[in-house]
């Protein structure tokens, strides 16, 4: 049995190392495999907005329902805009949200778009749960980390498909402690039922712009560590890409990273925020205050994306070499 895992980091547009990404592509790829195998419809059929209750409700053609409730409410104009989602493919939650709002940021900056992406993603997961026998689902009931995990095993293919929604129903975050194939509760329960706790796993990630790679074209990135990862899985992916004539880049030295890297990044970003805030206290000029606040907003809307997605200790475990 092999496992193919994909997730959506709802609102995780900016990440570490200058990444700018669509962090729903793993969800889209694995979701499309499930959709095609089980013949379910995941297009958005209806969008309803209750302004009084502050709830966005997305419904798919096969009856899946997902909801988001933005922390700072919804305006009547946003409700009108959201109707444009009808007819869009729910398996592309980031893309569909972009088509309506043009751009958005996570971390509580753009709460309505992020809550919308969450509602779309959960509507797709609910579609699978309602229409596919033995599609297992687990949820984490927390406003900040309202994660939903689902999966199904296809015995004929000796393959299990694992989907994770890392997001917040109120449109902040995301916290991605349960991304990829991290086997912590409640995700662990789904993985146990699928029988993939120790299976070779392909983790399908985001579509991203990575400045450090200096790549000037679209390609597949096969990223693994030849010392600690399953090299056979990586080489199998590369063989398939070559068979299909797909352009790819292989990085066999990805991870492990320096232990304490996340903690260090948190301190660096926090110091930048503190420096700007301290300077703000001393300014008499409204123009200068506006400049400082603009810089703070940029840090909070972009740079913090590299530090909010995972706990320090968990990051150390997942990105450091075993002893």
């Amino acid at each position: 049995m092999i496992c193919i895992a994909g997730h959506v980091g709802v609102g995780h547009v900016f990440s570490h190392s200058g990444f700018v990404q669509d962090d729903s592509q793993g969800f889209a790829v694995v979701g499309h495999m499930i959709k095609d195998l089980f013949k379910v419809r995941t297009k958005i059929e209806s969008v309803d907005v209750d302004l009084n209750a502050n709830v966005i409700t997305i419904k798919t053609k096969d009856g899946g329902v997902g909801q988001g409730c933005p922390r700072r409410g919804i305006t009547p104009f946003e409700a009108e805009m959201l109707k444009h989602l009808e007819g869009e493919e729910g398996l592309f939650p980031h893309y569909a949200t972009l088509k309506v709002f043009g751009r958005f940021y996570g971390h509580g900056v753009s709460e309505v778009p992020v809550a919308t992406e969450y509602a779309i993603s959960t509507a797709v997961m609910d579609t699978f749960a309602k229409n596919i026998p033995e599609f297992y689902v687990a949820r984490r009931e927390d406003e900040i980390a309202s994660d939903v995990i689902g999966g199904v095993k296809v015995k004929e293919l000796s393959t299990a498909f694992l989907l994770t929604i890392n997001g917040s129903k109120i449109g902040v975050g995301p916290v991605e402690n349960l991304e990829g194939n991290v086997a912590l509760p409640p995700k662990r329960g789904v993985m146990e039922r699928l029988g993939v706790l120790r299976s070779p796993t392909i983790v399908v990630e985001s579509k991203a712009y990575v400045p450090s790679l200096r790549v000037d074209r679209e390609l597949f990135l096969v990223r693994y560590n030849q010392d600690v990862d399953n090299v056979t899985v990586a080489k199998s992916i590369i063989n398939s890409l070559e068979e299909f004539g797909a352009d790819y880049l292989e990085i066999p030295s990805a991870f492990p990273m320096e232990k304490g890297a996340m903690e260090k990044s948190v301190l660096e970003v926090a110091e930048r925020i503190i420096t700007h805030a301290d300077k703000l206290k001393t300014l008499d000029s409204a123009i200068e205050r506006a400049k400082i606040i603009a810089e703070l907003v940029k840090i909070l809307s972009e740079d913090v994306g590299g530090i909010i997605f995972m706990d320090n200790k968990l990051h150390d475990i997942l990105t450091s070499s075993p002893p």
Side-chain angles (χ1 to χ4, degrees):
M1 181 69 66
I2 67 167
C3 178
I4 303 178
H7 91 124
V8 49
V10 179
H12 201 196
V13 182
F14 292 85
S15 192
H16 60 84
S17 308
F19 285 23
V20 183
Q21 62 184 358
D22 173 351
D23 202 17
S24 70
Q25 288 297 303
F27 181 84
V29 170
V30 179
H32 263 285
M33 293 178 179
I34 297 171
K35 172 189 172 182
D36 291 345
L37 281 167
F38 293 94
K39 310 301 179 188
V40 294
R41 298 177 298 171
T42 51
K43 280 192 175 182
I44 298 171
E45 181 174 70
S46 65
V47 181
D48 294 305
V49 180
D50 187 328
L51 295 175
N52 294 320
N54 186 35
V55 176
I56 301 164
T57 302
I58 306 286
K59 185 176 181 180
T60 68
K61 287 188 176 294
D62 268 349
V65 177
Q67 293 185 323
C69 43
R71 182 177 57 163
R72 288 181 284 180
I74 311 160
T75 71
F77 297 114
E78 287 169 329
E80 289 181 17
M81 294 166 69
L82 284 164
K83 297 298 286 185
H84 292 290
L85 285 170
E86 293 178 351
E88 294 292 333
E89 176 52 69
L91 282 167
F92 298 110
H94 182 102
Y95 176 72
T97 304
L98 276 181
K99 287 184 72 175
V100 171
F101 293 99
R103 72 168 68 190
F104 61 97
Y105 301 88
H107 335 132
V109 178
S110 302
E111 292 167 5
V112 173
V114 174
T116 298
E117 186 182 7
Y118 180 83
I120 296 170
S121 303
T122 52
V124 170
M125 189 77 86
D126 191 51
T127 303
F128 293 154
K130 286 177 175 174
N131 292 278
I132 300 173
E134 297 186 317
F135 186 92
Y136 304 117
V137 177
R139 292 177 173 82
R140 181 176 174 178
E141 298 298 337
D142 185 284
E143 282 192 335
I144 304 299
S146 319
D147 296 343
V148 185
I149 303 95
V152 64
K153 180 165 54 179
V154 182
K155 295 179 181 178
E156 297 81 0
L157 300 177
S158 297
T159 303
F161 299 94
L162 181 65
L163 279 179
T164 303
I165 299 169
N166 297 128
S168 162
K169 65 179 69 174
I170 65 172
V172 302
V175 175
E176 298 182 13
N177 284 340
L178 297 182
E179 69 175 319
N181 60 342
V182 176
L184 293 174
K187 188 171 185 172
R188 185 180 183 88
V190 174
M191 294 178 70
E192 286 176 339
R193 298 187 78 175
L194 296 176
V196 296
L197 282 176
R198 296 184 178 275
S199 295
T201 303
I202 299 169
V203 178
V204 188
E205 247 295 336
S206 64
K207 180 179 181 181
Y209 165 66
V210 185
S212 61
L213 294 181
R214 302 182 185 277
V215 174
D216 60 358
R217 65 196 186 281
E218 287 194 1
L219 47 74
F220 289 94
L221 176 61
V222 183
R223 186 175 62 168
Y224 64 100
N225 188 284
Q226 59 192 355
D227 296 322
V228 297
D229 285 325
N230 191 324
V231 177
T232 301
V233 172
K235 294 300 181 182
S236 297
I237 296 171
I238 290 168
N239 290 340
S240 296
L241 290 169
E242 290 177 345
E243 183 178 335
F244 283 99
D247 199 3
Y248 71 90
L249 176 63
E250 177 185 2
I251 299 182
S253 58
F255 305 130
M257 298 171 65
E258 174 190 358
K259 189 173 183 179
M262 178 64 78
E263 183 178 11
K264 181 181 177 182
S265 296
V266 171
L267 291 174
E268 288 175 351
V269 173
E271 284 300 327
R272 289 170 61 199
I273 294 171
I274 291 168
T275 298
H276 284 77
D278 281 342
K279 189 172 182 180
L280 180 64
K281 291 189 295 186
T282 69
L283 294 175
D284 176 70
S285 167
I287 290 177
E288 292 302 316
R289 287 198 296 266
K291 287 181 181 178
I292 289 291
I293 290 169
E295 286 302 311
L296 275 170
V297 169
K298 191 172 187 298
I299 295 170
L300 294 172
S301 62
E302 297 182 11
D303 299 345
V304 299
I307 64 171
I308 64 161
F309 67 94
M310 189 169 284
D311 295 353
N312 293 353
K313 291 181 180 178
L314 181 59
H315 191 264
D316 282 346
I317 292 170
L318 297 179
T319 62
S320 298
S321 296

